[in-house]
């Protein structure tokens, strides 16, 4: 094997590793499976609706989740957030929501959200897929 062919193989392997790291491996632990927004809407209206709405600007015990994906924590107008949530610095990306919905108090200690969490990764992914439609 020549020095040139060895270098080409090394570069190809490095590019493959970098691409996998950037995109995330679907097989890695804690990654979200593909979500179904139709099932997510059903779950939202079964579980989340007790405290949240999917209507822009309408808060309940919890803030409206309309437009939550991509939003910074603690900024929904008209909702009285906990200091922990305001100071968390979180941006609600799908990955962050996936972890948060599993165990809210672990991700934001001191949150007012009393929900104990959703252990089922598919249900979390489905809810997030629905939340992504609320724009």
């Amino acid at each position: 094997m020549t020095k040139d062919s060895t270098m080409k193989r090394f570069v190809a392997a490095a590019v493959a590793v970098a691409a996998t790291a950037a995109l995330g491996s679907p097989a890695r632990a804690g990654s979200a499976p593909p979500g179904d927004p139709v099932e997510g809407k059903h779950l939202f209206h079964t579980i989340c609706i007790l405290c949240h709405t999917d209507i822009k600007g309408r808060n309940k015990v919890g803030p409206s989740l309309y437009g939550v994906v991509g939003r910074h924590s603690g900024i929904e107008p008209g909702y009285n957030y906990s200091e922990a949530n305001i100071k968390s610095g979180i941006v609600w990306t799908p990955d962050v929501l996936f972890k948060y919905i599993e165990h809210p108090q672990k991700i934001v200690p001191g949150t007012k959200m009393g929900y104990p969490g959703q252990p089922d990764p598919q249900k979390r992914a489905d809810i997030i897929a629905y939340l992504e439609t609320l724009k």
Side-chain angles (χ1 to χ4, degrees):
M1 190 174 288
T2 68
K3 185 176 181 180
D4 188 48
S5 65
T6 302
M7 182 57 95
K8 284 181 183 176
R9 285 185 180 185
F10 174 78
V11 169
V15 168
V17 168
T20 300
L23 296 175
S25 170
R28 72 176 183 208
S31 65
D36 176 358
V38 173
E39 181 59 24
K41 182 176 183 177
H42 169 75
L43 290 166
F44 182 93
H45 286 276
T46 303
I47 302 168
C48 310
I49 203 75
L50 297 170
C51 297
H52 298 279
T53 67
D54 53 2
I55 301 168
K56 184 177 183 177
R58 186 178 297 167
N59 299 314
K60 291 173 72 175
V61 173
S64 169
L65 296 183
Y66 183 93
V68 71
V69 179
R71 184 167 75 201
H72 286 266
S73 63
I75 66 165
E76 178 64 21
Y79 184 74
N80 184 23
Y81 287 93
S82 66
E83 281 296 309
N85 196 292
I86 293 169
K87 293 180 179 180
S88 71
I90 288 174
V91 174
W92 298 115
T93 64
D95 285 341
V96 171
L97 285 165
F98 187 74
K99 294 172 189 155
Y100 183 76
I101 296 169
E102 181 179 23
H103 197 277
Q105 296 80 13
K106 184 175 179 181
I107 303 302
V108 181
T111 184
K112 293 190 317 187
M113 187 161 163
Y115 181 66
Q118 175 53 254
D120 185 320
Q122 187 61 60
K123 288 181 180 178
R124 295 195 315 268
D126 292 343
I127 292 168
I128 294 163
Y130 174 62
L131 294 176
E132 289 181 293
T133 71
L134 302 176
K135 300 175 186 178

